[in-house]
Amino acid sequence: MNDASIQLPRRTFAAGTLLALALAGCSGPVNTQQGYMPEQPVAFSHAVHAGQYELDCQYCHVGAEKSRHAGVPSSSVCLNCHTQVKKDSPEVQKVVEAVAANRPIEWVRIHRLPDHAYFNHASHVTAGLKCQTCHGPVQEMVRVEQTQPMTMGWCLDCHRKTAAEQVSSPPPSAPRSGELLAMSTRAPPPEPLKAPRILQPPTDCSSCHR
């Protein structure tokens, strides 16, 4: 028996062992965490902030309209209000202590796509997609939960339905080029936007697997 015949079974065994370990670490299908609702280090209620007080999502998640990632707000953003509101709340005090110690709050991530899938918040938000489409009725959630499966098939179904229904994109909410200048100098405003474009979300592999 030569060395090559010995190496092949060893490599097969090693590959099989790695696969078994990988599968053992998965509690279910990859990227299917529907219903996941972990406890957070600070009991932040979206039902109070986004629901009762109707805070805009982008006040905290500032990257949603201009970046791949919506972003998690720094603790100092919370204190924009909570230096005056509910200052003595035990949950607010956790935030105050974190800011004083220059220590980030370790929020538990809920919505996570696999590394091989590309997703851009900005392209969806600027096309008029509501946060609730993917994240569920967050304005009603005391503790955030993943309500959708967020699988490839689920995303493709939405893309295909949007294209089939000829959904149009609303005008962007950000000021257009020249608009701020016109407001400050009283110059004539720029020409109005053309008719909204019809959305054609991609369904080819390379759009999400880059």
Side-chain angles (χ1 to χ4, degrees):
M1 184 180 292
N2 57 32
D3 292 341
S5 62
I6 296 174
Q7 289 297 325
L8 182 58
R10 287 178 179 172
R11 290 173 182 170
T12 304
F13 175 77
T17 302
L18 288 173
L19 178 61
L21 289 172
L23 292 176
C26 298
S27 57
V30 175
N31 190 38
T32 302
Q33 295 193 111
Q34 193 171 12
Y36 183 48
M37 187 174 57
E39 185 176 354
Q40 299 290 351
V42 176
F44 177 89
S45 171
H46 278 76
V48 170
H49 294 79
Q52 182 179 348
Y53 293 110
E54 300 182 345
L55 290 181
D56 191 294
C57 298
Q58 292 185 63
Y59 180 77
C60 297
H61 303 290
V62 295
E65 195 175 24
K66 56 188 178 183
S67 169
R68 276 190 64 187
H69 307 287
V72 176
S74 66
S75 302
S76 59
V77 171
C78 304
L79 298 186
N80 287 344
C81 295
H82 285 295
T83 52
Q84 304 298 323
V85 178
K86 297 194 71 172
K87 296 184 292 183
D88 299 326
S89 163
E91 299 304 310
V92 171
Q93 285 303 307
K94 293 179 184 178
V95 180
V96 172
E97 291 169 6
V99 171
N102 195 28
R103 182 185 71 249
I105 294 174
E106 296 182 0
W107 299 102
V108 179
R109 185 169 182 171
I110 300 170
H111 303 87
R112 181 188 298 275
L113 295 179
D115 292 340
H116 61 262
Y118 175 86
F119 178 85
N120 190 321
H121 273 86
S123 61
H124 290 77
V125 173
T126 56
L129 196 72
K130 294 184 180 297
C131 303
Q132 290 85 346
T133 304
C134 297
H135 295 292
V138 288
Q139 75 281 0
E140 301 172 4
M141 297 181 185
V142 175
R143 186 190 296 180
V144 173
E145 172 188 1
Q146 180 174 322
T147 61
Q148 303 294 346
M150 293 194 171
T151 58
M152 184 176 73
W154 179 78
C155 294
L156 282 171
D157 285 345
C158 183
H159 279 211
R160 289 166 180 155
K161 181 181 178 182
T162 300
E165 293 178 351
Q166 298 287 287
V167 177
S168 61
S169 174
S173 59
R176 289 170 286 140
S177 178
E179 193 167 32
L180 290 177
L181 179 63
M183 291 169 61
S184 61
T185 63
R186 297 186 180 181
E191 291 296 318
L193 291 169
K194 297 179 181 179
R197 63 186 174 89
I198 300 299
L199 296 176
Q200 295 181 319
T203 57
D204 59 287
C205 302
S206 60
S207 294
C208 298
H209 301 292
R210 302 183 176 184

